[in-house]
Amino acid sequence: HSVGIIGAPFSKGQSRDGVQLGPDLIRAAGLVEKLKGQGCTVKDYGNLTFEEVAKDETTGRAKRPRAVGQANKQLSEAVRKIKNEGHACVMLGGDHSLAIGSIHGHAACGTQLSVVWVDAHADINTPLTTPTGNIHGQPMSYLIHELRSKIPVMPNFSWLKPCIAAEDVVYIGLRDVDPEEHYILKYLGIKTFSMTEVDYLGIAKVMEQTCDHIFSKVKKPIHLSYDIDALDPSLAPATGTPVVGGLTYREGIYITEHICQTGLLSAVDMVEVNPKRGGTDNGVRSTVDAAVDLLLGCFGRVREG
Ligand SMILES: CN[C@](CCCC[B-](O)(O)O)(CCN1CCCCC1)C(=O)O
Ligand SMILES: [Mn+2]
Ligand SMILES: [Mn+2]
Ligand SMILES: [Mn+2]
């Protein structure tokens, strides 16, 4: 595996300070060395720097739109460059609004994508349905063709065009979905494996059916967008919106091992690690170590040795 890493120390898609510290915490836990140790070639493209945006008043009900739009434009360009240079792209967040730029930049290199979204949340509110205004709960609404008519004009978002089809999206880990999001998921017929399905089917069947779904037409590169809050808060408490009843460490890792063995993983986001949440140092350590292990699983680490 040839891996390009980009850090996006960004927090304006939500309201809690600390998530911008995620990229350097994950690096400090040895991500680059450990990827190299398992045979990957790694190029670290460093961290993006995001200019402060003055006077960023809410549009519709989306908060801090100018900052979010500008950051994601930068990220899209960076991800596109990393893909054009032939690497699998690892984007370290930062909050989940960054999936806007990451997926847009990944799609810019021409191919259709499959998106596997691992998260307690669907992140598919529109600027008009969002209950909080936080754009980390909205990224998918800007990216999916079928929702284009639901997105108002937003400052610093003119560069963004939807780039994925609803049928090419699979969700795993859902357990805190707003009513408006649920309506959108049903209306678009988007494939979802909530924690109920994870319990009912078991993670192996979930991954089998995930792959059946995304490969049902033509095999496309996979964009894996992994929100650390998909994991159970007992394992990953250092995150902005923890929700009980999440994935075990083993389930979380199984997802990455299975995606890796498809040979089609083309980009992965690892987002929402927030060291200012999670209470104890142990909680932060556990969260960061889980994030690293998930990324190692994406690029060839298997538990059998
Ligand atoms: C479920 N939707 C939320 C959370 C989004 C989490 C973003 B992610 O990137 O971490 O997944 C929360 C909305 N609820 C918060 C509690 C009160 C009811 C609304 C939102 O703000 O849209
Ligand atoms: Mn998310
Ligand atoms: Mn989430
Ligand atoms: Mn979160």
Side-chain angles (χ1 to χ4, degrees), residues 96-97 117-123 136-137 139 226-227 229 241 271-272:
H96 219 164
S97 67
W117 194 281
V118 184
D119 200 326
H121 312 96
D123 297 0
H136 76 157
Y226 217 118
D227 186 327
D229 72 30
T241 49
V271 297
E272 297 280 355

Side-chain angles (χ1 to χ4, degrees), residues 4-282:
I5 297 173
I6 182 76
F10 186 72
S11 66
K12 301 283 192 271
Q14 49 89 66
S15 54
R16 294 188 176 94
D17 185 47
V19 70
Q20 74 280 0
L21 302 171
D24 288 343
L25 265 176
I26 291 171
R27 286 197 184 86
L31 175 66
V32 173
E33 296 74 20
K34 289 175 177 175
L35 284 170
K36 287 179 177 172
Q38 60 185 52
C40 299
T41 57
V42 181
K43 179 174 181 181
D44 189 347
Y45 288 75
N47 286 350
L48 294 171
T49 51
F50 301 118
E51 296 291 310
E52 282 301 309
V53 173
K55 253 180 25 56
D56 197 358
E57 71 275 354
T58 299
T59 308
R61 285 158 65 185
K63 289 176 182 162
R64 303 170 289 271
R66 287 171 185 73
V68 173
Q70 183 172 286
N72 277 294
K73 186 172 188 295
Q74 289 175 241
L75 179 57
S76 178
E77 289 158 6
V79 170
R80 178 176 189 167
K81 175 169 181 275
I82 292 172
K83 289 308 303 168
N84 287 340
E85 292 181 3
H87 309 289
C89 185
V90 172
M91 188 278 283
L92 304 177
D95 69 65
H96 219 164
S97 67
L98 292 163
I100 295 168
S102 180
I103 291 173
H104 183 271
H106 187 191
C109 48
T111 52
Q112 293 292 313
L113 298 177
S114 298
V115 175
V116 178
W117 194 281
V118 184
D119 200 326
H121 312 96
D123 297 0
I124 201 167
N125 275 301
T126 73
L128 304 177
T129 69
T130 171
T132 61
N134 294 325
I135 297 181
H136 76 157
Q138 305 170 38
M140 286 294 259
S141 75
Y142 301 93
L143 293 164
I144 290 176
H145 292 295
E146 292 90 337
L147 291 174
R148 180 171 205 153
S149 64
K150 307 288 181 236
I151 307 299
V153 172
M154 293 183 32
N156 286 354
F157 275 70
S158 58
W159 58 275
L160 176 59
K161 300 286 175 286
C163 51
I164 48 179
E167 68 178 357
D168 293 330
V169 175
V170 177
Y171 283 96
I172 302 172
L174 298 181
R175 57 190 186 274
D176 177 13
V177 177
D178 297 320
E180 304 84 348
E181 293 183 295
H182 187 252
Y183 177 83
I184 290 169
L185 292 173
K186 289 294 165 205
Y187 168 70
L188 294 180
I190 292 178
K191 189 75 179 169
T192 62
F193 294 97
S194 75
M195 289 309 298
T196 303
E197 283 79 53
V198 172
D199 288 335
Y200 178 67
L201 294 171
I203 196 66
K205 269 263 176 298
V206 165
M207 293 316 295
E208 208 177 289
Q209 294 184 17
T210 293
C211 289
D212 289 347
H213 182 84
I214 60 177
F215 301 148
S216 56
K217 294 213 172 51
V218 61
K219 286 202 168 192
K220 300 180 280 296
I222 295 172
H223 188 110
L224 174 63
S225 202
Y226 217 118
D227 186 327
I228 201 70
D229 72 30
L231 300 180
D232 190 86
S234 64
L235 169 66
T239 191
T241 49
V243 184
V244 293
L247 296 169
T248 65
Y249 176 87
R250 291 158 49 190
E251 289 167 335
I253 293 289
Y254 188 88
I255 291 169
T256 65
E257 289 174 340
H258 195 100
I259 295 282
C260 178
Q261 58 83 32
T262 67
L264 288 164
L265 181 62
S266 179
V268 54
D269 309 324
M270 181 53 68
V271 297
E272 297 280 355
V273 171
N274 185 340
K276 294 190 177 173
R277 305 274 297 168
T280 64
D281 287 356
N282 267 352

